[in-house]
Amino acid sequence: QVQLVESGGGLVQAGDSLSLSCAGFGRAFHSYSMGWFRQAPGLEREFVAGSNWNGGRTHYAESVKGRFTISRDHAKNTVYLQMNSLKPEDTAVYYCAASFPGTEATIEARSVNYWGQGTQVTVSS
């Protein structure tokens, strides 16, 4: 079993940056693809960024390409999402996700095996 704990959310102004962290707990953590999803009130949870098991391949939603970067630190069992040039439309609860097998960087919400509790990101104009 894998447990995920996110941190790093907060309130920022448009153009600012935030870095989210997701700490993983579990022996099989390194075998999973890892990703970030976000969900605004009343909307569907959407894919933001993903990484295969070793970070060799990544994939991003078109809306965040060039602004967000996903990375993994296996020694720390941690996945990060660096968010730059934030926009008000990035406002959402951000969720860390683990999906097995770990070969893919693109993750569908329905295939997620484990979710973090979510961390709120709010971007003001």
Side-chain angles (χ1 to χ4, degrees), residues 35-49:
W36 291 92
F37 289 73
R38 66 188 182 187
Q39 187 169 22
L43 301 179
E44 296 286 333
R45 189 169 298 186
E46 66 173 344
F47 173 81
V48 176

Side-chain angles (χ1 to χ4, degrees), residues 9 19 29 38 46 55 67 71 73 82 90 106 111 122 125:
S19 182
F29 176 78
R38 66 188 182 187
E46 66 173 344
R67 299 189 297 121
S71 60
D73 187 334
Q82 178 64 45
D90 294 318
T106 302
S111 72
T122 302
S125 299

Side-chain angles (χ1 to χ4, degrees), residues 38-98:
R38 66 188 182 187
Q39 187 169 22
L43 301 179
E44 296 286 333
R45 189 169 298 186
E46 66 173 344
F47 173 81
V48 176
S51 169
N52 73 333
W53 72 276
N54 67 357
R57 287 186 285 114
T58 58
H59 186 74
Y60 299 90
E62 290 294 329
S63 60
V64 306
K65 281 184 177 178
R67 299 189 297 121
F68 291 10
T69 302
I70 186 171
S71 60
R72 305 182 70 162
D73 187 334
H74 286 92
K76 297 180 179 179
N77 282 356
T78 301
V79 181
Y80 304 94
L81 184 67
Q82 178 64 45
M83 304 184 293
N84 298 326
S85 301
L86 283 162
K87 305 174 181 179
E89 49 263 48
D90 294 318
T91 295
V93 176
Y94 283 70
Y95 296 91
C96 183

